[in-house]
């Protein structure tokens, strides 16, 4: 395998890591939300300097084998409720669909759609005189502010009726007008017997699509100018990657965190960990996952913000709490997030116009962050602006000193994240916390204390762990079709059709028939129960599924690139770690104490020490709290233990 470039785009920072000749290179750049392609190429410029000693993007892109890209932009947009207004067209007499969707998440439905719903009579679609009138529903929706329109009919013939409505709309509206208000038809996006899931799938996809489309195609076009030999690959939330044109916007939702989960799975195997809760704290969200016995929690039908969708998703919670989350006052209580200042304007200490209080400001004022070395020395922090924000937004409204406010803010932040961990997964004596992301290690011990977790691992690649995790993903596509005829002939015809689709799509990815693996299964649903039947070379409809309410044929094609490692890692104490500096830290007793600082890059396997102390590298800082000790494993990762000596 040649050079691999992995890019994880977050709301505040964009991480880039490169694997080349068994060497690992990394950098970070500030996310530019107004133009994601800028931070994309800024990252490529910066990492080329790390690799070659000078900026040489052309050489970098000439040598690269694959570029994989993941993002949390979709997750962040929904968490922060920022995006286009949607309209929805349903069939008359189907108000139950809207009632169901509102019940599943009234706030999200109100934000996405609100009252922008139009009903049409499906019988009118068959009458030429009445058909044209049905398309006025689009005009009414746009008049109420809809930027995009979703069509979702709840009927056994939904595919047929949605296709008819599409033809009528295109015949009656000038393309330049209809193109300004894009329409998405739910059955074209997902084959699913549940209209509720189809509806949510279409709505969320429409919401995410505009920003992703403009950025991805722009980035791909700029890469072509450099004559890169392979197309940009988008890492999806199902754990695989595909080129831009074959990636559905919804499947980029939580793709960045899913990259982290791939890394957590491999990490668990290396250290023989049976129960791992992962905590990836970025600028906007904390992404929480759970790996038990080396298996990532996944569901066949995923959820976005708690609402059901038609595609499978990794089970990840992404509460709006991160290093750039706004800390504010709600009455006499401290509120953490979900709003974030992102990279622009950023925390007050960034000096870019931000005036809100964040944990980045708190950690700076408590001495944990060094304003001279933060972000690899590439971003200077302003202590005076941070103090002014804490004083104005927190201390003065609460009638307390700034010092007291710092302790309260840190405790509120740790309590908030610990509560999210505990609500997502049950903590037991075997539970280990894997903390990563730029801000994950910083609060790891405090959050573990409040969660009852006594062992924490900080990967040596913690700062870019999610980007690193997508490096070994496969390239592939998945398909699904609902069968209406439970016979061998119908199954063979449907299977052959999906095989043909896969051949076209995989050829576009650069792989001919025989270069990739295929698999297929039937999923029979009876009420709330599902039965899965794996298909072999003999395509025969199984008798035990013939009484099912519905049967879905699921098919996947995948070029296997993952390399499974059987290496087991160990950790044992050797020589004590040598401090490289001393840093004054503000503690719970509201006093300053000089703590030893240990540099990850200068520690070796077996090096150990006790807290309180600071462990850091170029892009992350870890506070080892009182009562915790640490040891460096043979792979260079850091294991923190509560109460051990």
């Amino acid at each position: 395998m040649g050079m691999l470039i992995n890019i994880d785009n977050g709301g505040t920072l964009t991480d880039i890591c490169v694997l080349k000749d068994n060497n690992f290179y990394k950098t970070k750049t500030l996310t530019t939300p107004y133009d994601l392609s800028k931070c994309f190429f800024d990252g490529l410029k910066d990492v080329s300097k790390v690799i070659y000693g000078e900026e040489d993007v052309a050489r970098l892109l000439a040598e690269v084998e694959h570029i994989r890209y993941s993002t949390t932009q979709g997750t962040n947009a929904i968490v922060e409720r920022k995006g286009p207004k949607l309209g929805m067209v349903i069939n008359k007499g189907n108000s139950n669909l809207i009632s169901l969707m509102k019940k599943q998440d009234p706030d999200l439905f109100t934000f996405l759609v609100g009252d922008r719903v139009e009903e049409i009579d499906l019988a009118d679609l068959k009458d030429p005189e009445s058909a044209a009138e049905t398309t006025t529903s689009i005009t009414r929706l746009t008049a109420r502010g809809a930027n995009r329109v979703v069509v979702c009919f709840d009927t056994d013939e939904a595919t047929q009726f949605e296709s008819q409505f599409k033809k009528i709309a295109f015949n009656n509206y000038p393309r330049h007008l209809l193109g300004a208000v894009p329409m998405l038809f739910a059955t074209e996006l997902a084959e699913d017997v549940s209209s509720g899931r189809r509806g949510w799938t279409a709505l969320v996809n429409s919401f995410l699509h505009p920003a992703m489309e403009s950025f991805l195609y722009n980035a791909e076009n700029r890469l072509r100018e450099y004559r890169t030999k392979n197309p940009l690959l988008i890492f999806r939330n199902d754990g695989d990657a595909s080129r831009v044109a074959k990636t559905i916007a919804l499947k980029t939702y939580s793709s960045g965190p899913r990259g982290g989960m791939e890394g957590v799975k491999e990490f668990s195997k290396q250290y023989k960990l049976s129960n791992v809760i992962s905590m990836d704290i970025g600028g906007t969200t904390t992404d929480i996952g759970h790996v038990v016995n080396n298996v990532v929690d996944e569901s066949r039908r995923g959820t976005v913000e708690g609402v059901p969708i038609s595609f499978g998703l990794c089970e990840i919670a992404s509460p709006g709490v991160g290093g750039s989350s706004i800390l504010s006052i709600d009455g006499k209580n401290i509120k953490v997030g979900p709003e974030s200042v992102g990279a622009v304007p950023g925390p007050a200490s960034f000096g870019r116009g931000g005036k809100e209080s964040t944990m980045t400001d708190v950690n700076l004022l408590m001495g944990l962050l060094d304003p001279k070395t933060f972000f690899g020395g590439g971003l200077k922090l302003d202590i005076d602006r941070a103090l002014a924000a804490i004083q104005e937004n927190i201390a003065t409204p609460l009638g307390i000193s700034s010092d007291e406010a710092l302790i309260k803010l840190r405790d509120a932040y740790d309590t908030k994240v610990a509560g999210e961990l505990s609500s997502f997964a049950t903590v037991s004596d075997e539970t280990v916390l894997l903390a990563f992301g730029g801000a994950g290690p910083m609060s790891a011990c405090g959050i573990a204390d409040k969660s009852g977790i006594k062992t924490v691992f900080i990967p040596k690649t913690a700062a870019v762990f999610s980007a690193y995790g997508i490096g070994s993903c496969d390239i592939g596509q998945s398909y699904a079709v609902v069968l209406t005829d439970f016979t061998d002939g119908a199954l063979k015809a449907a299977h052959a059709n999906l095989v043909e689709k896969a051949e076209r799509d995989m050829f576009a990815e650069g792989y001919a028939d025989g270069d990739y693996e295929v698999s297929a299964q039937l999923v029979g649903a009876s009420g709330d129960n599902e039965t899965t039947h794996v298909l072999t070379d003999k395509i025969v409809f199984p008798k035990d599924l013939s009484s099912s309410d519905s049967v879905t044929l699921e098919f996947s094609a995948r070029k296997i690139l993952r390399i499974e490692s059987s290496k087991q890692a160990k950790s044992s104490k050797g020589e004590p770690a040598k401090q490289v500096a001393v840093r004054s830290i503000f503690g719970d007793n509201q006093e300053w104490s000089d703590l030893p600082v240990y540099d990850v890059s200068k520690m070796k396997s077996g090096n150990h020490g006790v807290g309180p102390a600071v462990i850091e590298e170029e892009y992350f800082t870890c506070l080892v709290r009182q009562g915790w000790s640490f040891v460096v494993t043979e792979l260079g990762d850091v294991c923190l233990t509560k109460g051990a000596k």
Side-chain angles (χ1 to χ4, degrees), residues 508-523:
E509 302 287 0
Y511 302 104
D513 185 22
D515 292 340
Y516 54 88
E517 297 182 2
V518 298
S519 61
Q521 66 177 17
L522 294 172
V523 180

Side-chain angles (χ1 to χ4, degrees), residues 203-219:
L203 287 176
V204 176
N205 190 79
S206 290
F207 176 78
L208 299 180
H209 191 271
M212 296 308 303
E213 178 187 41
S214 60
F215 156 66
L216 291 176
Y217 282 103
N218 186 26

Side-chain angles (χ1 to χ4, degrees), residues 536-554:
T536 61
D537 292 338
K538 190 176 182 180
I539 309 300
V540 178
F541 194 92
K543 292 182 180 179
D544 59 338
L545 294 184
S546 58
S547 60
S548 301
D549 296 334
S550 66
V551 176
T552 302
L553 170 61
E554 298 180 344

Side-chain angles (χ1 to χ4, degrees), residues 224-512:
R224 287 197 187 102
E225 295 175 6
Y226 286 94
R227 301 183 183 277
T228 50
K229 56 186 175 182
N230 287 319
L232 174 65
L233 294 175
I234 309 305
F235 180 75
R236 307 189 307 258
N237 52 31
D238 59 7
D240 291 331
S242 57
R243 63 192 180 96
V244 174
K246 290 296 180 181
T247 301
I248 296 171
L250 178 54
K251 290 195 174 183
T252 68
Y253 174 84
S254 205
S255 65
R258 176 58 193 263
M261 295 311 299
E262 291 298 308
V264 175
K265 182 172 64 175
E266 292 306 309
F267 197 95
S268 300
K269 292 178 182 177
Q270 289 177 335
Y271 289 95
K272 293 184 178 180
L273 304 176
S274 61
N275 191 330
V276 180
I277 296 178
S278 63
M279 178 181 74
D280 176 4
I281 303 183
T284 306
T285 62
T286 292
D287 300 312
I288 303 167
H290 196 200
V291 174
V292 177
N293 296 325
N294 304 326
V295 177
V296 178
D297 278 351
E298 296 181 76
S299 60
R300 247 190 93 252
R301 304 290 191 184
T303 60
V304 172
E305 288 285 288
V307 299
I309 62 170
S310 302
F311 303 133
L313 279 182
C314 178
E315 295 289 343
I316 298 173
S318 297
V321 50
S324 293
S325 293
I326 296 173
L327 305 174
S328 58
I329 299 300
D330 183 9
K332 289 296 181 179
N333 298 317
I334 293 174
K335 181 184 176 185
V336 182
E339 299 85 3
S340 170
V341 294
V344 180
S349 54
F350 278 18
R352 298 182 174 214
K355 297 183 182 298
E356 304 290 351
S357 307
T358 71
M359 272 307 295
T360 299
D361 302 312
V362 172
N363 285 320
L364 172 64
L365 293 171
M366 295 185 78
L368 186 55
L369 297 178
D370 185 339
K372 297 178 181 178
T373 61
F374 179 73
F375 201 59
L379 180 62
K380 304 301 181 183
L381 297 180
D382 190 319
I383 293 179
D384 292 336
R385 290 178 186 272
L387 181 59
I390 298 296
Q391 183 67 49
E392 180 179 345
N393 299 317
I394 308 298
T396 298
L398 290 180
I400 59 178
S401 69
S402 295
D403 287 349
E404 290 177 288
L406 293 177
I407 301 300
K408 286 183 176 292
L409 288 169
R410 188 188 65 180
D411 287 346
Y413 181 88
D414 289 352
T415 298
K416 172 70 173 178
V417 179
E420 297 289 351
L421 291 181
S422 300
S423 64
F424 183 78
T426 301
V427 174
S428 67
D429 293 340
E430 291 76 33
T431 301
V432 169
L433 178 63
L434 185 59
F436 51 93
M442 202 174 308
S443 306
C445 289
I447 292 169
D449 276 337
K450 293 183 180 298
S451 304
I453 297 174
K454 297 183 178 180
T455 301
V456 176
F457 275 93
I458 310 293
K460 65 179 179 181
T461 57
V464 293
F465 192 75
S466 290
Y468 182 79
I470 71 177
S472 61
C473 71
D474 298 330
I475 298 175
Q477 289 288 346
S478 298
Y479 313 87
V481 60
V482 177
L483 301 178
T484 56
D485 185 349
F486 297 174
T487 63
D488 292 347
L491 175 59
K492 289 178 181 178
H495 184 271
N497 182 51
L498 296 185
V499 168
E500 184 178 342
K501 284 186 179 181
E503 287 179 352
R504 290 197 301 267
D505 290 343
M506 294 305 289
F507 182 78
E509 302 287 0
Y511 302 104

Side-chain angles (χ1 to χ4, degrees), residues 9-86:
N9 167 242
T12 303
L13 299 174
T14 294
D15 302 340
I16 301 94
C17 77
V18 176
L19 305 175
K20 180 179 185 290
D21 301 329
N22 295 319
N23 292 318
F24 171 76
Y25 307 90
K26 70 178 184 299
T27 191
K28 285 175 175 279
T29 185
L30 286 171
T31 294
T32 48
Y34 56 88
D35 181 4
L36 293 179
S37 65
K38 184 179 186 309
C39 57
F40 180 92
F41 280 91
D42 284 348
L44 293 179
K45 292 176 183 177
D46 290 346
V47 83
S48 71
K49 294 178 187 177
V50 175
I51 297 172
Y52 306 123
E54 62 180 359
E55 183 181 311
D56 196 339
V57 176
R59 179 182 173 186
L60 180 74
L61 295 178
E63 294 182 5
V64 69
E65 184 77 16
H66 291 298
I67 302 176
R68 295 182 176 93
Y69 174 89
S70 66
T71 181
T72 58
Q73 289 299 318
T75 310
N76 297 343
I78 292 179
V79 167
E80 298 185 81
R81 298 293 195 260
K82 295 178 180 178
K85 296 179 180 179
L86 307 179

